[in-house]
Amino acid sequence: FLSTYCIMSAGDLFYFDFRGRGFIIRVLLDIAHVDYTDHRVTFEEWSSMKSDCTFGQLPVWKDSDVGTLSQSHSIHRYLANKYNLNGKNAIETARIDEIYEEGNDIFNAIIQVLFAKDQFEEKKPNLITNIIPKHIAFLTNILKKNNGGLGWFVGDSLSLADLQVFHIVNNLVRPWGPELISDELKAFLKRFREVPEVSKYLKEKMAKTTVAPVPGVKFLHLEEHFAGEFDN
């Protein structure tokens, strides 16, 4: 299935029409002004293309340099490096990676609860009371150490670290309650939203939910969970 697509643009992204593991890729490419093709795969199409994917999963990125690349984190780093969004030197790149991995810790903790099935209600209170606040404090402290928390997470320009934090905080944390987000991170979210390319993406292209409405998922799969997400 993938081999039938000839690269007519700067690349092709194959992922479902929800935020999940595609949000960062899509926003990064728009920030970098990359003329790519965004294939929003349906579940019907997925059944016929799964066997062509290296690890039997999406997202998949395809361009003339790397060929076909799987694993969302690999795609993030590849594109961030290619389009100069991964630091200006080795120290900045290390700091970006540190924040990126902290974001992955939050992502994994939330996903475990989302797909806990009949244990969802049992696990939810600890997530909201302990796990999310702990990580929000970590991110807030890191942000405040760079330019007093008034700019980006690393250095003086937007990077993969900022994309990761926005994705985690806006798309996975905020729906549980905006009161969980510190004032410093709320200001950061607003700054990020005001980047022209980001603003355009959020208004015109962003998927409606973070995860798909599949059996067993308990939250972040309905549009109502994201009501008023840009109110503050």
Side-chain angles (χ1 to χ4, degrees):
F1 186 92
L2 292 176
S3 61
T4 64
Y5 285 91
C6 297
I7 301 170
M8 302 298 291
S9 58
D12 291 85
L13 172 65
F14 299 86
Y15 191 63
F16 305 106
D17 191 19
F18 49 90
R19 301 176 194 179
R21 297 185 183 275
F23 179 87
I24 290 176
I25 302 170
R26 288 167 173 150
V27 178
L28 187 158
L29 290 166
D30 276 16
I31 289 172
H33 299 169
V34 178
D35 179 23
Y36 77 104
T37 303
D38 186 1
H39 303 276
R40 301 214 174 188
V41 179
T42 66
F43 286 111
E44 290 75 21
E45 291 172 328
W46 173 232
S47 62
S48 65
M49 65 186 293
K50 186 174 183 178
S51 61
D52 287 345
C53 297
T54 305
F55 302 108
Q57 61 190 28
L58 297 177
V60 168
W61 172 256
K62 185 176 182 181
D63 70 27
S64 58
D65 294 322
V66 76
T68 299
L69 184 64
S70 300
Q71 296 290 359
S72 57
H73 301 169
S74 298
I75 298 170
H76 293 168
R77 291 184 172 103
Y78 167 71
L79 293 173
N81 283 321
K82 185 172 184 176
Y83 297 112
N84 302 313
L85 290 166
N86 204 28
K88 298 175 182 177
N89 53 57
I91 293 174
E92 284 195 1
T93 299
R95 292 301 182 195
I96 290 167
D97 209 42
E98 178 182 48
I99 295 163
Y100 181 89
E101 291 302 332
E102 162 61 12
N104 287 339
D105 287 347
I106 308 173
F107 182 95
N108 292 333
I110 292 174
I111 291 298
Q112 286 177 9
V113 175
L114 287 184
F115 292 91
K117 297 183 179 179
D118 56 356
Q119 292 184 305
F120 174 78
E121 293 299 335
E122 176 186 342
K123 292 179 178 293
K124 178 180 172 181
N126 185 51
L127 177 70
I128 294 174
T129 304
N130 297 309
I131 297 175
I132 288 178
K134 177 184 72 174
H135 288 288
I136 289 296
F138 289 159
L139 291 174
T140 300
N141 289 335
I142 293 172
L143 179 62
K144 289 164 67 175
K145 289 178 181 178
N146 190 44
N147 193 31
L150 301 177
W152 305 116
F153 269 84
V154 177
D156 58 6
S157 59
L158 189 149
S159 73
L160 179 59
D162 303 295
L163 285 156
Q164 173 78 314
V165 174
F166 183 88
H167 173 48
I168 297 300
V169 176
N170 187 79
N171 298 335
L172 287 108
V173 170
R174 196 216 60 81
W176 301 95
E179 68 279 1
L180 293 168
I181 306 172
S182 66
D183 290 341
E184 292 86 354
L185 282 178
K186 286 180 180 177
F188 162 79
L189 296 179
K190 185 173 184 293
R191 276 195 300 280
F192 190 88
R193 294 197 305 266
E194 290 173 349
V195 173
E197 295 85 355
V198 175
S199 177
K200 181 177 176 64
Y201 177 87
L202 298 179
K203 291 175 182 176
E204 300 179 3
K205 302 180 183 179
M206 185 166 70
K208 301 298 184 182
T209 66
T210 296
V211 299
V214 296
V217 70
K218 299 294 185 178
F219 196 51
L220 304 183
H221 62 296
L222 300 175
E223 289 186 39
E224 64 194 55
H225 299 155
F226 301 88
E229 65 179 320
F230 302 141
D231 289 349
N232 51 40

